Amino acid sequence: MIGTKAQSYQFQFTHQQQSDAGGEFQFQMGAQKPATICVTNVSIDGKPYIHIADTSPIRHNHVGFLPKADKFVFVASESIEPLRWTLKNDQGISIDLGRTTPFGLNTASGEHLHRIDLSHYTTEQKGLTITVDDETGFPFDIRGDIYHSLTYDAFSYFYQNRSGVEIQPEFVQRSDLARPAGHAKDVVTCFDKQDAWGNDWLGVISPLMSLAVGMMLATTANTQ
């Protein structure tokens, strides 16, 4: 609780779960009425948290590739010389080998990359892996149906994020994802007042929103 006199606050937090590393320290002031908030001498003390990510320098689409699509694999390496790579099938048998093509700096990630082109593989295969030096990438497939479940995955995501309805076990991937409705009695209408920034909202659905809802309903009907 804040007031007109200076006060001191101290809190202790113990990092227990791996997901705690994503925690944030925030000041949430609200927007009820104009106010002046003075904050001074803020500090966070403790041992630094260092997370070593278990990632591979071999980058590609982990879902896989379509048979007739381009199939590029990228390798993060500071080497300016081509690197030797090996392609193995799902039984661990080497079926191809070659050397990478130095690609250059990727400005988005700040990494120096090499490229491997597997576009000449057009037959369907499963469990392929690329090995460069001592690093092996994640398995991937070459299949015509790799994106077959994408529509259902998208609808499953939005279904599971609906808080006001029951999530039924027959429509989710695991039984522990099912749950009762969070607040079934709540009724939410369009905001029709003035917000904290002085914007007036009419509380009506715009034609663009109506079109989006109609498209979603039509898509739902077509996928059933």
Side-chain angles (χ1 to χ4, degrees), residues 18 49-55:
Q18 184 175 359
Y49 174 77
I50 300 175
H51 174 67
I52 301 176
D54 183 16
T55 60

Side-chain angles (χ1 to χ4, degrees), residues 134-153:
D134 296 329
E135 296 283 351
T136 299
F138 294 99
F140 63 92
D141 298 346
I142 299 176
R143 300 196 329 268
D145 63 346
I146 58 172
Y147 298 121
H148 176 72
S149 64
L150 185 59
T151 300
Y152 303 96
D153 292 340

Side-chain angles (χ1 to χ4, degrees), residues 148-191:
H148 176 72
S149 64
L150 185 59
T151 300
Y152 303 96
D153 292 340
F155 277 109
S156 177
Y157 169 81
F158 287 106
Y159 171 68
Q160 294 180 47
N161 278 272
R162 299 179 67 185
S163 59
V165 299
E166 177 188 3
I167 304 302
Q168 302 180 27
E170 60 266 32
F171 299 134
V172 290
Q173 293 82 354
R174 304 190 315 268
S175 59
D176 62 307
L177 296 175
R179 56 166 175 76
H183 40 78
K185 295 182 179 180
D186 289 355
V187 178
V188 180
T189 60
C190 294
F191 187 77

Side-chain angles (χ1 to χ4, degrees), residues 8-222:
S8 177
Y9 301 90
Q10 183 174 352
F11 305 95
Q12 182 174 346
F13 174 76
T14 302
H15 186 144
Q16 297 179 336
Q17 305 293 330
Q18 184 175 359
S19 59
D20 290 343
E24 297 180 353
F25 180 70
Q26 299 180 347
F27 291 101
Q28 297 187 3
M29 302 299 182
Q32 297 300 316
K33 58 183 179 180
T36 300
I37 308 295
C38 300
V39 180
T40 185
N41 295 331
V42 178
S43 64
I44 301 178
D45 300 323
K47 296 180 179 180
Y49 174 77
I50 300 175
H51 174 67
I52 301 176
D54 183 16
T55 60
S56 171
I58 301 175
R59 316 287 168 74
H60 57 75
N61 187 335
H62 294 172
V63 176
F65 301 96
L66 295 170
K68 295 183 179 180
D70 292 335
K71 305 171 186 66
F72 294 120
V73 177
F74 292 91
V75 183
S77 172
E78 295 299 325
S79 174
I80 61 175
E81 300 295 331
L83 305 173
R84 186 179 181 87
W85 59 265
T86 304
L87 177 66
K88 298 180 181 180
N89 61 17
D90 58 350
Q91 298 177 346
I93 300 175
S94 298
I95 58 176
D96 199 356
L97 54 84
R99 291 189 178 275
T100 63
T101 301
F103 183 78
L105 176 67
N106 177 16
T107 55
S109 65
E111 298 173 311
H112 185 270
L113 300 179
H114 291 237
R115 189 172 76 171
I116 301 171
D117 189 356
L118 302 176
S119 301
H120 58 283
Y121 280 92
T122 57
T123 58
E124 296 198 354
Q125 302 185 61
K126 294 183 178 182
L128 298 174
T129 55
I130 283 283
T131 299
V132 179
D133 292 336
D134 296 329
E135 296 283 351
T136 299
F138 294 99
F140 63 92
D141 298 346
I142 299 176
R143 300 196 329 268
D145 63 346
I146 58 172
Y147 298 121
H148 176 72
S149 64
L150 185 59
T151 300
Y152 303 96
D153 292 340
F155 277 109
S156 177
Y157 169 81
F158 287 106
Y159 171 68
Q160 294 180 47
N161 278 272
R162 299 179 67 185
S163 59
V165 299
E166 177 188 3
I167 304 302
Q168 302 180 27
E170 60 266 32
F171 299 134
V172 290
Q173 293 82 354
R174 304 190 315 268
S175 59
D176 62 307
L177 296 175
R179 56 166 175 76
H183 40 78
K185 295 182 179 180
D186 289 355
V187 178
V188 180
T189 60
C190 294
F191 187 77
D192 60 354
K193 300 176 179 61
Q194 188 178 84
D195 61 22
W197 294 272
N199 299 311
D200 292 315
W201 299 91
L202 301 179
V204 297
I205 299 179
S206 67
L208 182 60
M209 186 179 297
S210 300
L211 176 62
V213 173
M215 291 176 65
M216 176 170 282
L217 293 175
T219 305
T220 304
N222 291 333

